[in-house]
């Protein structure tokens, strides 16, 4: 188990990273870049944006190479990036509008700074690696009809037929009720439609399910793991046997932590990564050998247990060519600086 610092600065608040292998041996990490605020840390900031950093050595990152992605002000909330082939990647994210002049039922106040905030949409950005730099397209707004406050928190899934599934949570307009959805794009992120509804409230003992992650198992079935807003803080899951068209009722898993990230390994096992926002604060992982029917919680992997508080986590990962796992996440230690970290470890 080895840990590396990807990007850290005392005057910046880095969070919510994702990692992709853009081409063989070239890695890119996207993350939220915001100012360090002295009157209290907040995950919503008018000066936040999405940043990207690349490296051809997974264990060595130069913070001076960090680049801001244009037209992403107010974003960087939970960015994800997935390679779509030929050096192209698709960035998915959502953003907030911050203004003291906002009014309405969908506006709420960040008290420390007297900011009025409204959800400002989910969008897709196509990026292509060419001549040692990214060519970045314009943001394309994702607006499936009939839904609002739609947000994803995990990486999209590319299916064998080229379609892209993006798990999100959203609200029924005007009701305050929630649902976990699968969005589908058949044109590399240019247009989207709702493919299916995974779960919808109410769930006993749970305020809502959110921040979903999906995976396609070796048998072709699908699994969705979700964060539960509850005192127990256990992950819930739903299963699909028909390509994500219909789903079983949510079931509580033995995994405590949030939010989840699902990864199918080459040997067919499933790996769940998640933040552990309880003492001792850190990053953990759990393995399933039966496509999610059971989880080896007795063999839970403690990746980190040295965090200084609960404002950490949101891990995502890759399986490397040698079978090791690379997990990227945000972290803080006693100095209180939120930074992007990466851990490389063996499962066996």
């Amino acid at each position: 188990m080895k840990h590396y610092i990807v990007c850290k600065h005392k005057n910046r608040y880095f969070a919510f990273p994702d990692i992709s292998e853009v081409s063989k041996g070239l890695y890119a990490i996207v993350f939220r870049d915001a100012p360090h605020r002295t009157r209290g840390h907040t995950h919503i900031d008018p000066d936040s944006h999405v940043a990207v950093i690349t490296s051809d050595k997974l264990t060595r990152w130069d913070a001076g190479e960090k680049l801001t992605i244009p037209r992403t002000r107010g974003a960087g909330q939970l960015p994800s990036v997935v390679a779509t082939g030929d050096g192209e990647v698709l960035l998915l994210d959502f953003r907030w509008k911050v203004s003291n002049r906002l009014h309405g039922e969908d506006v709420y106040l960040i008290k420390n700074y007297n900011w009025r905030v409204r959800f400002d949409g989910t969008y897709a950005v196509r990026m292509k690696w060419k001549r040692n730099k990214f060519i970045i397209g314009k943001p394309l707004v994702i607006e499936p009809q009939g839904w609002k406050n739609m947000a994803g928190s995990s990486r999209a899934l590319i299916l064998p037929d080229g379609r892209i599934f993006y798990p999100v949570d959203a609200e029924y307009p005007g009701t305050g009720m929630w649902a976990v959805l699968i969005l589908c794009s058949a044109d590399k992120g240019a247009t989207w439609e709702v493919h299916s509804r995974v779960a919808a409230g109410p769930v006993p003992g749970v305020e809502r399910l959110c921040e979903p992650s999906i995976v396609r198992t070796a048998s072709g079935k699908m699994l969705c793991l979700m964060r539960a807003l509850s005192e127990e803080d256990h992950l819930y899951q739903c299963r699909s046997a028909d390509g994500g068209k219909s789903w079983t009722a949510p079931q509580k898993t033995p995994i405590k932590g949030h939010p989840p990230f699902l990864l199918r390994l080459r040997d067919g096992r499933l790996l769940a990564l998640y933040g552990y926002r309880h003492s001792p604060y850190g990053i953990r992982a759990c393995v399933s050998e039966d496509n999610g029917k059971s989880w080896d919680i007795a063999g839970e992997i403690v990746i980190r247990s040295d965090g200084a508080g609960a404002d950490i986590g949101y891990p995502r990962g890759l399986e490397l060519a040698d079978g090791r796992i690379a997990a990227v996440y945000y972290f803080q230690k006693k100095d209180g600086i939120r930074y992007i970290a990466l851990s490389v470890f063996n499962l066996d």
Side-chain angles (χ1 to χ4, degrees), residues 9 15 18 27 35 37 81 89 117 132 145 168 202 211 214 235 237 241 271 291 300-301 318 337 340:
H9 194 286
D18 194 14
Y27 300 93
R37 301 284 184 179
V81 63
V89 297
V117 177
N132 295 321
Q145 188 174 5
V168 301
E211 297 184 335
I214 58 173
L235 298 177
Q237 68 180 27
L271 176 71
N291 294 328
E300 185 179 42
I301 302 162
L318 294 173
I337 301 173
I340 305 301

Side-chain angles (χ1 to χ4, degrees), residues 1 3 10 18 22-23 35 53 94 113 119 122 127 130 133 152 166 199 210 226 241 243-244 258 266 288 298 313:
M1 189 81 67
H3 312 301
K10 65 180 181 179
D18 194 14
V22 179
S23 58
I53 187 170
F94 68 94
Y113 302 97
F119 188 84
T122 298
M127 302 165 53
K130 188 175 183 180
K133 66 178 182 179
Y166 183 38
C210 59
M226 297 161 284
H258 69 267
R266 282 189 289 272
S288 173

Side-chain angles (χ1 to χ4, degrees), residues 296-342:
D296 182 17
I297 197 65
E300 185 179 42
I301 302 162
V302 178
I303 300 170
R304 298 288 293 262
S305 60
D306 57 336
D311 190 17
I312 58 171
Y314 284 77
R316 299 177 193 168
L318 294 173
E319 183 180 16
L320 305 179
D322 59 7
R324 292 181 301 163
I325 305 299
V328 64
Y329 49 89
Y330 83 101
F331 212 65
Q332 61 160 317
K333 300 187 77 172
K334 291 183 178 180
D335 60 11
I337 301 173
R338 278 71 169 174
Y339 67 96
I340 305 301
L342 181 141

Side-chain angles (χ1 to χ4, degrees), residues 16-88:
F16 311 133
D18 194 14
I19 184 170
S20 178
E21 188 172 13
V22 179
S23 58
K24 188 174 182 179
L26 177 68
Y27 300 93
I29 294 176
V30 297
F31 54 95
R32 173 191 188 260
D33 181 359
H36 172 83
R37 301 284 184 179
T38 58
R39 282 187 284 164
H41 295 287
T42 171
H43 289 171
I44 302 173
D45 194 298
D47 295 319
S48 67
H49 53 259
V50 182
V52 60
I53 187 170
T54 58
S55 176
D56 58 1
K57 294 183 179 179
L58 190 63
T59 59
R60 187 179 301 171
W61 300 84
D62 182 357
E65 297 296 319
K66 173 179 69 74
L67 298 174
T68 297
I69 296 180
R71 299 181 292 273
T72 59
R73 188 172 184 267
Q77 295 310 120
L78 292 169
S80 68
V81 63
V82 60
T84 55
D86 298 324
E88 293 186 354

Side-chain angles (χ1 to χ4, degrees), residues 244-305:
K245 295 178 182 178
S246 62
W247 297 83
T248 60
Q251 288 186 315
K252 185 170 71 173
T253 75
I255 302 172
K256 184 175 183 177
H258 69 267
F261 174 79
L262 278 169
L263 184 66
R264 189 182 96 193
L265 307 178
R266 282 189 289 272
D267 63 10
R269 291 182 295 173
L270 302 183
L271 176 71
L273 294 165
Y274 44 95
Y276 194 75
R277 293 181 162 190
H278 311 273
S279 183
Y281 303 104
I283 310 296
R284 299 191 178 192
C286 197
V287 171
S288 173
E289 296 189 355
D290 54 12
N291 294 328
K293 294 179 182 177
S294 64
W295 292 93
D296 182 17
I297 197 65
E300 185 179 42
I301 302 162
V302 178
I303 300 170
R304 298 288 293 262
S305 60

